[in-house]
Amino acid sequence: MKIAFLTDPLSQFKTYKDSTFAMMREAVRRGYTVYAFGPADMALEGGKVIASISKITLTGDSEDWHRAEAPQALPLSAFDAVLQRKDPPFDMEYIYATYLLELAEQQGARVFNKPAAIRNHNEKLSIAQFSQFTAPTLVTRDEQRIRAFHHEHQDIILKPLDGMGGAGIFRIRADGMNLGSVIETLTLNGSRTIMIQRYIPEIVNGDKRILLIGGKVVPYALARIPQNGEVRGNLAAGGVGVAQELSARDLEIAQTLAPQLYQRGLLLVGLDVIGDCLTEVNVTSPTCFQEITQQKGVDVAAMFIDALETAVSGR
């Protein structure tokens, strides 16, 4: 196969933990050829979706890890698979990229995850489709609704709908200190919708990332445990990742969502679960492959490439 990765700049990769790198390495191990490009490299020209794409060679060096050939303008339909691995923020440029990728699909490209499915599954709001698994949740820009929710639940989390890595997450306790300021900041004075949830105390045991690949559940989660008084377990916010077996509740959530999300065109999904509650459905560029592999010996990248081969072959 020829696999093209739509991703962030390769110079930003931390190869010891990067899941996209793990995918590339496994693909190359199987004899496949890998390519890379970014959103700015795409264009609609002459009615065709093309991109300036570079062939990538892996060096085996953890620091100077790749060589990139001079980019060529190629139609995305020239590849066996195009893997959408661009991190949020999920802004208008991200949405425009999904439109171009969707046009490329109509021209014969095989894109994973499907761009329409990415666009239709906001990583925060999607949990509302599975409310039987969530903590009490409010989505609004209205200050009075937020204050009433805080009055009812006392201890709450507020977060933007388009962030990643724990950015912009606030906890407000029973005393309500700084609630007004946080509301003004996150809603941009009432002009932006945000999510508010009852605080889940089990966060001290970790924010569990559960991976769904090809409609199947990876048997271990990575619990990202907050450090130094932080409320956020995200690795990007300093959390420590501990791989662990799924609980009965984790399995119930994952096995319910896995086939449904796969049917919608989501080959790879990262569920976030705190305690017994689903908190996010990550579809843009789910991570934690390498941490689970290193700690539990389950080759998550191999599972992913297996699923990709099946999806491309139509089996």
Side-chain angles (χ1 to χ4, degrees):
M1 287 199 293
K2 294 166 61 179
I3 305 174
F5 289 80
L6 170 54
T7 187
D8 292 295
L10 302 184
S11 60
Q12 298 178 5
F13 280 30
K14 296 180 174 64
T15 57
Y16 66 92
K17 68 175 185 176
D18 193 282
S19 295
T20 304
F21 170 74
M23 294 174 184
M24 290 181 170
R25 183 174 56 191
E26 178 60 21
V28 169
R29 190 189 68 78
R30 299 187 187 200
Y32 300 148
T33 309
V34 298
Y35 300 77
F37 66 106
D41 298 318
M42 285 196 295
L44 176 64
E45 190 173 293
K48 294 286 186 181
V49 179
I50 63 171
S52 297
I53 301 180
S54 297
K55 182 180 177 181
I56 304 300
T57 302
L58 305 188
T59 65
D61 186 309
S62 61
E63 298 294 331
D64 183 22
W65 65 273
H66 75 283
R67 296 286 180 269
E69 294 185 6
Q72 290 183 283
L74 297 169
L76 296 186
S77 57
F79 298 89
D80 297 288
V82 177
L83 299 186
Q84 207 306 103
R85 291 291 300 168
K86 175 72 178 66
D87 282 341
F90 197 82
D91 53 16
M92 284 308 300
E93 283 300 320
Y94 209 117
I95 291 174
Y96 296 149
T98 67
Y99 288 139
L100 288 174
L101 291 170
E102 198 169 11
L103 282 170
E105 284 185 314
Q106 295 171 16
Q107 297 165 6
R110 304 291 303 276
V111 185
F112 306 92
N113 287 326
K114 285 185 70 67
I118 291 175
R119 199 168 58 240
N120 291 340
H121 289 81
N122 176 274
E123 298 190 323
K124 309 295 191 296
L125 274 171
S126 290
I127 66 170
Q129 300 177 42
F130 309 100
S131 58
Q132 70 270 36
F133 298 128
T134 65
T137 298
L138 172 69
V139 177
T140 186
R141 65 173 75 174
D142 182 79
E143 179 176 354
Q144 294 311 310
R145 283 192 171 92
I146 297 171
R147 289 188 177 278
F149 187 88
H150 174 259
H151 179 74
E152 178 182 359
H153 296 288
Q154 298 292 300
D155 199 350
I156 63 173
I157 293 290
L158 303 93
K159 55 188 175 182
L161 293 175
D162 60 354
M164 66 165 287
I169 292 179
F170 292 87
R171 178 185 180 185
I172 300 294
R173 300 173 191 257
D175 60 13
M177 186 174 293
N178 289 326
L179 177 58
S181 178
V182 170
I183 293 172
E184 291 169 9
T185 298
L186 287 184
T187 69
L188 299 180
N189 293 309
S191 65
R192 184 172 69 176
T193 302
I194 64 171
M195 176 172 281
I196 308 94
Q197 293 175 307
R198 187 189 69 198
Y199 174 72
I200 305 170
E202 289 86 353
I203 183 61
V204 297
N205 300 318
D207 180 353
K208 294 171 284 188
R209 166 59 55 84
I210 302 170
L211 294 170
L212 313 179
I213 297 177
K216 299 177 181 178
V217 182
V218 175
Y220 295 96
L222 190 75
R224 298 159 296 171
I225 301 172
Q227 303 293 303
N228 303 317
E230 266 285 357
V231 71
R232 303 170 299 172
N234 310 73
L235 301 182
V240 172
V242 178
Q244 59 186 40
E245 291 185 4
L246 303 186
S247 69
R249 175 66 166 182
D250 294 339
L251 274 172
E252 180 188 5
I253 294 171
Q255 290 174 346
T256 300
L257 271 63
Q260 296 184 51
L261 296 177
Y262 184 53
Q263 290 262 324
R264 298 177 190 179
L266 296 167
L267 182 71
L268 172 62
V269 177
L271 305 179
D272 288 349
V273 174
I274 301 174
D276 287 339
C277 297
L278 176 70
T279 60
E280 291 189 19
V281 178
N282 294 273
V283 301
T284 51
S285 56
T287 60
C288 300
F289 280 33
Q290 294 207 59
E291 293 88 348
I292 293 172
T293 298
Q294 290 160 4
Q295 295 183 36
K296 294 298 183 181
V298 174
D299 195 335
V300 182
M303 291 179 65
F304 176 78
I305 299 298
D306 285 346
L308 181 64
E309 290 172 341
T310 298
V312 168
S313 69
R315 296 198 302 270

